[in-house]
Amino acid sequence: MEFLKLNGHSLKISDVVDVARNGKKVVLDDSAIAFVERGAKMVESWVAEGKSIYGITTGFGDLASTMIPPEKSRQLQENLLKSHACGVGEPFPEDVTRAIMLLRINTLIRGFSGISLKTLNQLVSFLNEGIHPLIPAQGSVGASGDLCPLSHLAAALLGIGDVIYKGRRMPATKAMEEAGLKPINLGPKEGLALNNGTTAMAGIATLAIYDAFTVAKTADIAAALSLEALTGVPYAFDPRTHELRPHEGQKKVAENIRTLIEGSEIVEKYKHARVQDAYSLRCVPQVHGASRDTLDFIAQKMQIEINSVTDNPLIFPADGEAISGGNFHGQPIALSMDFFGIAMAEIGNISERRTARLVDHKLSYGLPPFLVKNSGVNSGFMIPQYVAAALVSENKVLAHPSSVDSIPTSANQEDHVSMGMYAARKARTILENVKKVLAIELLTAAQGVDFRKPLKLGKGTSTAYETIRARVPFVEEDEFLHPYIQEMVKMVSDGSIVKAVESEVGELA
């Protein structure tokens, strides 16, 4: 098996996905190991000297002025993890846990955290063996990083708490025994190196931004299919318009729509029926495009974050110094994930509006009420639009920013927090809701274009339609719709619609 070599500098977002979801194993780069060992030796020398350094020879948070004798160093670090591992709520899913583990390794290997190679290798072994600590999702305010969730991760290395191993929940000690590992003892600074940083929120955010790009392409496909079902006109996608307002996202989306509807007999027949469409069709490049630009910005921020050192204090062996700073503060992720939630919520909002037009016979240009024959006896697609409306309404509440809602902790020593963890968690929820909204639009639009036969769809939209119809049939009369929606959600989530379309028309922008 090919291993991903980690050096703390070159990790990519796609690498995180490979490790988190595809089980790829990791190995430490030899060139980086020397930096880890140098940092650990520096910490040991400071403890021997009795030098006053936060979190190494002092207590934590508001207890920073309390000196800790050298013989209590190990107890200090283990007590830190035991006391801080107090999260609540459901545990993170496996892919998020693996992303967190990977990102923690990638930051520690830089050698600025003072961790020993032995402890770092224990975390590598957990990841490679598939020992996944149960990390409760609630408990971080994103200030001194993700202290609470990362403490649950770190405590498992000591044999504390439960893990999932080979599909079973068990005590960490039992999993280690089965995997041929032993609990470790922590040295000076190591507990703080393991639990202080932005790694948990970054793990969630990294997987979310990766998924969001596929969802954004799916949204363009859904919009193009709805455009044809509603006999929309093509003028709003003319490249000349977008050169006069050259936002990259806007230009990409307009290009995608043109590619998807190329060769459409529906568009050709109805292109003179009106001069313009409603905003949910006409302004797709501007709305989807603005969200695209937001995703690009967030991806840049996450690329920086996953290769950063975010604990405290930071050890600079070359200078013989430890500097207590604020790299643990989650504000860059908090703002990014708040922006992410808004951008994705808007993709859902405009999608729901297109679905609403499809089912409204007063606005759908000849389509039957609620897209079903014999409407009245049949309700057709009336209620899927309700579901989409419920989801986008939920997203409007969730899109309220977390980062503006600071709350003091640690006896006001930590008097401004980022709320980055909750920003990431709710951003992920918004993303999942948008997948469902798009699934409903695609299902509805496919039903709509069936009423436009025998006119042919565009090159890309016809592939999307055939992909949908291979798994979900045309609805002749009322039937149990839930399984069809669930099937569509799977297709949106696994990217199968995007893959099918891109196999036909080439990679979408």
Side-chain angles (χ1 to χ4, degrees), residues 294 298 335-347 395 398-400 423 426-428 430-431 434:
T294 301
I298 295 166
L335 291 173
S336 293
M337 286 294 96
D338 280 342
F339 203 3
F340 178 99
I342 292 168
M344 296 311 298
E346 276 299 277
I347 286 179
N395 280 351
L398 291 170
H400 177 82
K426 69 186 184 65
R428 186 168 172 267
I430 291 170
L431 176 65
V434 171

Side-chain angles (χ1 to χ4, degrees), residues 92 101 106 110 140 191 239 248 257 277 282 333 339 360 411 470:
F92 287 123
M101 296 168 76
N106 201 54
R110 293 283 294 275
S140 172
E248 283 303 312
I257 300 296
D277 287 311
R282 192 185 352 153
I333 300 175
F339 203 3
D360 187 345

Side-chain angles (χ1 to χ4, degrees), residues 16 61 79 145-146 176 178 204 255 277 333 389 430 462 472:
V16 178
N79 284 351
D146 294 309
M176 280 191 273
E178 290 189 14
I204 299 169
E255 179 185 349
D277 287 311
I333 300 175
I430 291 170
S462 63
V472 179

Side-chain angles (χ1 to χ4, degrees), residues 41 317 393:
K41 288 178 181 177
S393 295

